[in-house]
Amino acid sequence: MLWQFIGLGRVNWGRLMVIAVPYFWLALFFFIPFVVVFKISLAESAIAVPPYSSLLDWDLEEAYLNIKINLGNYLFLWEDSFYLDAYLSSIKIAVISTLLTLVVGFPIAWLIARSEGTTRTVLLALVILPFWTSFLLRVYAWMALLKKSGPINDILMAVGLIDQPIQMLQTDFAVYIGIVYTYLPFMILPLYTALEKLDMTLVEAAADLGYRPVQSFFAVIVPLALPGIVAGCLLVFIPVVGEYVIPALLGGSDTLMIGRVLWDEFSINRDWPMASAVATVMLVLLVLPIMLVRNRADDQEGKA
């Protein structure tokens, strides 16, 4: 690796600086904060400012250094089923929401990719338009739409589909609606990028070989759009696992997600070490599978 940065016996500082920028960014905003959170997770809760004990205790006069590491927070995660239920519930909601977002986003991305000129530009602008408004404001708008006295219940009652308002707000249904609506652009844009490059002559060739439209979709379109599908699913799944605002505002008291547990531990219980342990385990559960999938994809590309 070192020889890549050395040219004619001297260091290629220009290339080295370009490569160092993203590493510096990751170290500053990811690695260092993670180390701090991991350090807090090994401490003990204390009534102090900050509310946790120090890992190092030294006395220069007595010339001693004590290192106190507490693994009890991680052991308690496995002993108390509440945290395991929160992890499993978060993963379940994230998986279902990601699949729903994919089902809704794929036809929209296909329509945009197959559109021409001004129509494509307008459709892309409509997809990006929600980013111009406050995320919190959009969630509050769904609260107004889904409540019993909201316009959705009024319309359903006006057309005679229901006799009395139905409970939509503070349910898992409302959480899924809010997540799909909020994260839909993150699914559409990677899908559009992949589908826009799709060679339609391959679909025509499949039709000439006797493939039906459904068969062509799964045999030709899906494999070619797979990079966009994977990217979109990751962009939706990862933030949804730790989502707090949508479950807190649209979900009920029984909607259990790890983001809400983190908030309760930090702000209500003031147990920063426990909250840090929960966050560390959540990060490991998310990062390790992604790294394994990425390494496997790189290996397959290398063999190809």
Side-chain angles (χ1 to χ4, degrees), residues 108-150:
I108 300 175
W110 177 265
L111 174 63
I112 298 174
R114 301 278 70 86
S115 300
E116 299 291 341
T118 306
T119 303
R120 175 183 296 186
T121 303
V122 171
L123 292 175
L124 281 174
L126 291 176
V127 171
I128 302 173
L129 188 62
F131 291 120
W132 298 354
T133 59
S134 170
F135 163 71
L136 192 59
L137 184 63
R138 284 180 278 145
V139 177
Y140 274 116
W142 275 109
M143 292 177 64
L145 290 171
L146 296 175
K147 64 182 181 179
K148 285 189 175 182
S149 59

Side-chain angles (χ1 to χ4, degrees), residues 154-171:
D154 291 343
I155 293 173
L156 293 177
M157 293 178 64
V159 298
L161 293 179
I162 58 176
D163 297 328
Q164 57 184 1
I166 57 178
Q167 179 68 36
M168 290 183 290
L169 190 61
Q170 296 181 342
T171 62

Side-chain angles (χ1 to χ4, degrees), residues 286-299:
L286 289 176
V287 170
L288 286 182
I290 294 173
M291 292 178 60
L292 293 175
V293 172
R294 180 64 181 175
N295 291 334
R296 185 175 181 181
D298 291 341
D299 293 341

